[in-house]
Amino acid sequence: MIRKVIATLGVVSAALLGGVVPASAQTQAAPHCQWGNTYGTIVKPPVQPVFAVIGGAQVGSIELCRDSSYNYWGFAIYDTPMTASQYAQVLLQIYRDGDWIKDVSCDTDLGNGNKGNGYIAPNQTRCWTPKVGGVSGHYTFRARTDKYSSHTGALLASGRTVVTR
């Protein structure tokens, strides 16, 4: 009996060790990576990004997402809806060969139905950017979000993922 337990533990350990993932960017299925009525996969760097109120309290998450065709988009979800005096925006920052080339936001319309769902307005919690193709190894991306006071323009929360692919 003890031999069977030890043998079983050895097989399980070998299987687990064989499945260790290197500390490079990985993907993780998540219902958070919404785009319209579909969901993508979080492009997860070694440290999961979050965003926080200035002062330190976490208020939601910012995610770099991708679909099976290697189209990328930025997605943010806040823990509570924006108040009447708050709004937030998500940017997908696009880099080619390490140089920033442009941003697309939740307000961007790239045509052919490829558009974001608009900035995060009062009583809303989430937004996503249009999808951008990233098949070429020359492109990398970063998702970023900023939450503001609509009365004072003060930055209330901010966060960004690392630049990754």
Side-chain angles (χ1 to χ4, degrees):
M1 177 67 170
I2 292 177
R3 287 184 187 163
K4 284 184 179 180
V5 171
I6 292 172
T8 301
L9 288 174
V11 169
V12 170
S13 297
L16 289 174
L17 289 174
V20 172
V21 180
S24 59
Q26 301 301 313
T27 58
Q28 171 186 332
H32 285 266
C33 258
Q34 184 177 0
W35 195 87
N37 294 327
T38 63
Y39 296 91
T41 304
I42 295 174
V43 179
K44 186 177 179 185
V47 177
Q48 179 63 31
V50 296
F51 56 90
V53 171
I54 295 173
Q58 179 180 331
V59 296
S61 63
I62 177 70
E63 296 156 355
L64 177 61
C65 305
R66 107 172 160 218
D67 64 18
S68 60
S69 298
Y70 288 88
N71 295 305
Y72 292 79
W73 69 96
F75 175 80
I77 183 168
Y78 283 81
D79 296 339
T80 58
M82 298 294 125
T83 66
S85 63
Q86 297 173 337
Y87 70 95
Q89 183 61 271
V90 173
L91 297 174
L92 176 64
Q93 299 179 311
I94 305 164
Y95 298 81
R96 181 176 167 85
D97 296 325
D99 294 324
W100 173 83
I101 57 171
K102 72 177 179 177
D103 295 339
V104 294
S105 74
C106 292
D107 293 327
T108 303
D109 185 347
L110 297 176
N112 297 322
N114 185 15
K115 62 183 181 177
N117 67 326
Y119 69 92
I120 306 173
N123 297 317
Q124 296 178 343
T125 58
R126 63 183 71 201
C127 81
W128 54 84
T129 69
K131 292 181 178 182
V132 175
V135 174
S136 167
H138 293 278
Y139 291 94
T140 53
F141 304 92
R142 175 167 68 180
R144 172 183 168 176
T145 188
D146 294 308
K147 178 180 176 179
Y148 296 97
S149 166
S150 57
H151 296 308
T152 66
L155 180 64
L156 304 173
S158 183
R160 56 202 38 87
T161 66
V162 296
V163 176
T164 190
R165 161 160 194 80

